[in-house]
Amino acid sequence: MARARRFGRADENGTVYVSVRGTEHECGQFPDATQDEALAYFARKFDDAEAQVALLEQRIAAKAPAGEMRKTVHHVREQVAAHTMVGDLVDLSTRLDTLEDAIRVAQEREREDAKKHRAEQLAHRTAIVEAAEEVAGQDPEKTQWKHSSARMAELFSQWQEHQKSGGRLSKTDEDALWKRFRKARTTFDRHRKAFFSSLDETNAKAKRVKEALIAEAEALSSSTDWGETAGKYRELMDRWKAAPRASRKEDDALWARFRAAQDVFFDARKTTNEQIDKEFEGNLEVKEQLLAEARTILPVKDLETAKKRLASIQQRWEDAGKVPRAHMRRVENELRSVEDAVKKAEDDTWRRTDPETKARSNSMLSQLESKIADQRAAVEAARASGNEKKAVSLEKDLATSEQWLATLQASASELG
């Protein structure tokens, strides 16, 4: 208000004036209000405009994108020209002039940065193409095909990723580079296909290696040493994966034989496990009865009794032994849920009796009650001054505080 009085005034009718270089201009009128309230209304408009200017100055200093800043400058300048607020309009106008100059500089810098970025992206995309051309230009007889295929696939992924996130090139540059890249890939694929078409001996060797693996798998298929034999089958699978591939048709047939030998062993192990599970069905019945007993503990009413009953159930649970694997997780989870409920009841009991928790709750209640008293006084003061709008707003804040107080009081009663 002190600053507002330096640059403006309000008459008894609520009309507000701003002084600019010694000349008064009418800002507007704020009827049904005191002179201070009317002046403060138009001073707040100046505060809002000044805050927008300050934000732009900060953004310019931080080198934020300047694209939309001119609109804000123009909007504030219109307000200054229309004399719709009370404050130092001369200083604000000067700051707007400085901002416009800074925005011009920032936009020029952004254009230069964009130009530099496009040049960098073109160079990056060109480097990908040149690397692909280098891979495609290798002597097919000396090429390490696995490594080179991975490298070409990596370059293609880089090309795709750069198209998505690296920024767009001009259509001319984009088309020209893509033609070169596509030609390199086509050449590489043609050389690779020609090379592998001559690998009949490699296919024959792959067949011999996998025939030997199949013989080992078939020899193990009748074993009943479940653990050790399963490990040997995993080793055989690793060796199978590492073996060279034959032709697609032969490799599929060899795999079918290898898998059939494994299936004989694993099917037999499954049958044996099912028999063992059947033997454990009696244990399952015992544990189902223990679960039914455990459920009667909930809800926990007497904590010490609940803990004793649970301890007894846990001991009998261990004595009951294993259950069929299909039910193992379910029954364990159901017992654990009862254990968790008892543990929670124990934690809640501790929380309710913890002196530190009670002290924190009482402190919060005292602070909130004091705040509510202040809010009620503010509401009464606003009504006494005739500011009903402010009183309604303050009553909303008061209602929120009273609701929060009721919640805290309920929590405090639980702790008591």
Side-chain angles (χ1 to χ4, degrees):
M1 287 300 296
R3 184 175 70 173
R5 291 191 182 96
R6 287 170 50 206
F7 296 98
R9 67 181 180 84
D11 62 19
E12 61 275 11
N13 297 321
T15 302
V16 177
Y17 302 86
V18 62
S19 178
V20 181
R21 292 191 175 92
T23 303
E24 276 194 342
H25 301 269
E26 183 179 330
C27 294
Q29 193 175 40
F30 195 106
D32 301 325
T34 66
Q35 289 177 300
D36 281 351
E37 289 173 343
L39 188 60
Y41 174 77
F42 289 93
R44 284 195 296 271
K45 286 190 172 185
F46 180 86
D47 290 344
D48 292 341
E50 190 177 47
Q52 293 181 64
V53 170
L55 179 59
L56 289 180
E57 290 169 341
Q58 292 173 9
R59 294 185 64 196
I60 283 291
K63 296 184 178 180
E68 297 296 320
M69 293 186 186
R70 283 187 180 277
K71 291 182 180 180
T72 304
V73 170
H74 179 70
H75 174 68
V76 176
R77 195 177 288 283
E78 286 181 338
Q79 292 178 297
V80 171
H83 305 111
T84 58
M85 49 195 170
V86 174
D88 190 348
L89 299 186
V90 174
D91 176 70
L92 193 60
S93 181
T94 301
R95 291 170 66 182
L96 290 171
D97 292 339
T98 302
L99 268 175
E100 284 193 330
D101 292 337
I103 290 171
R104 279 194 293 271
V105 172
Q107 288 180 325
E108 182 61 28
R109 183 186 67 243
E110 289 172 3
R111 284 191 288 270
E112 289 298 321
D113 289 346
K115 183 178 178 181
K116 180 180 178 182
H117 179 72
R118 285 193 296 271
E120 290 173 348
Q121 299 310 309
L122 177 60
H124 185 75
R125 193 81 66 89
T126 301
I128 294 174
V129 172
E130 289 173 349
E133 290 172 338
E134 182 180 353
V135 174
Q138 298 175 104
D139 182 351
E141 296 299 323
K142 299 178 181 179
T143 297
Q144 295 181 0
W145 291 104
K146 184 176 181 179
H147 175 269
S148 296
S149 297
R151 176 57 176 158
M152 187 62 83
E154 177 189 3
L155 290 170
F156 185 53
S157 295
Q158 290 179 13
W159 176 276
Q160 291 178 311
E161 180 61 29
H162 195 269
Q163 277 187 317
K164 294 178 182 177
S165 59
R168 294 186 62 82
L169 305 178
S170 69
K171 190 174 187 308
T172 300
D173 290 335
E174 183 87 30
D175 291 346
L177 288 172
W178 171 244
K179 286 179 181 178
R180 288 173 59 188
F181 189 77
R182 182 176 59 190
K183 181 180 178 181
R185 293 181 69 215
T186 301
T187 300
F188 177 81
D189 289 339
R190 185 172 67 250
H191 289 168
R192 182 179 57 183
K193 289 176 182 176
F195 180 82
F196 281 101
S197 65
S198 64
L199 295 183
D200 292 341
E201 178 57 31
T202 300
N203 289 338
K205 179 182 178 181
K207 185 176 180 180
R208 289 194 296 271
V209 170
K210 291 187 173 179
E211 288 280 7
L213 293 174
I214 291 170
E216 290 185 55
E218 290 173 342
L220 291 170
S221 63
S222 59
S223 172
T224 56
D225 189 349
W226 310 118
E228 182 178 351
T229 305
K232 290 180 179 179
Y233 270 115
R234 285 192 293 272
E235 180 186 350
L236 282 176
M237 179 62 75
D238 291 339
R239 289 163 59 191
W240 183 278
K241 292 177 179 178
R245 289 183 62 84
S247 66
R248 174 70 178 273
K249 183 177 180 181
E250 288 183 332
D251 215 65
D252 288 347
L254 291 167
W255 168 250
R257 290 171 56 194
F258 182 74
R259 186 58 183 267
Q262 291 185 90
D263 287 346
V264 171
F265 168 78
F266 287 108
D267 287 348
R269 187 181 69 168
K270 180 181 177 183
T271 299
T272 300
N273 287 337
E274 288 174 348
Q275 292 173 349
I276 293 173
D277 284 346
K278 189 172 183 180
E279 295 172 4
F280 290 159
E281 286 180 358
N283 299 343
L284 177 61
E285 291 180 5
V286 173
K287 288 195 172 182
E288 292 285 11
Q289 293 172 1
L290 290 173
L291 283 175
E293 182 180 344
R295 294 188 195 101
T296 63
I297 296 175
L298 305 181
V300 177
K301 296 179 180 178
D302 183 332
L303 179 60
E304 291 305 317
T305 300
K307 290 168 65 176
K308 290 178 181 179
R309 291 181 63 194
L310 179 60
S312 171
I313 291 170
Q314 289 170 327
Q315 180 59 53
R316 285 176 284 156
W317 184 276
E318 293 299 323
D319 294 342
K322 295 182 180 180
V323 300
R325 287 178 299 170
H327 297 275
M328 188 181 303
R329 179 175 297 181
R330 175 183 62 81
V331 296
E332 291 292 340
N333 287 343
E334 289 188 27
L335 180 62
R336 190 175 297 112
S337 68
V338 176
E339 293 170 339
D340 291 344
V342 174
K343 179 64 169 59
K344 182 178 182 302
E346 187 174 18
D347 292 342
D348 289 344
T349 299
W350 166 247
R351 181 179 61 82
R352 287 195 299 271
T353 57
D354 182 10
E356 184 177 345
T357 302
K358 290 183 177 181
R360 284 199 303 270
S361 176
N362 291 335
S363 175
M364 291 178 65
L365 280 170
S366 298
Q367 293 175 16
L368 190 55
E369 287 170 347
S370 177
K371 178 181 178 181
I372 289 172
D374 291 342
Q375 287 176 319
R376 286 172 177 162
V379 171
E380 294 174 0
R383 284 220 164 86
S385 66
N387 194 338
E388 183 62 26
K389 182 177 181 181
K390 183 178 180 180
V392 171
S393 176
L394 291 173
E395 281 183 331
K396 291 181 180 178
D397 295 337
L398 174 61
T400 300
S401 297
E402 289 175 338
Q403 184 177 3
W404 177 232
L405 176 63
T407 301
L408 282 182
Q409 287 173 336
S411 297
S413 65
E414 292 180 2
L415 292 174

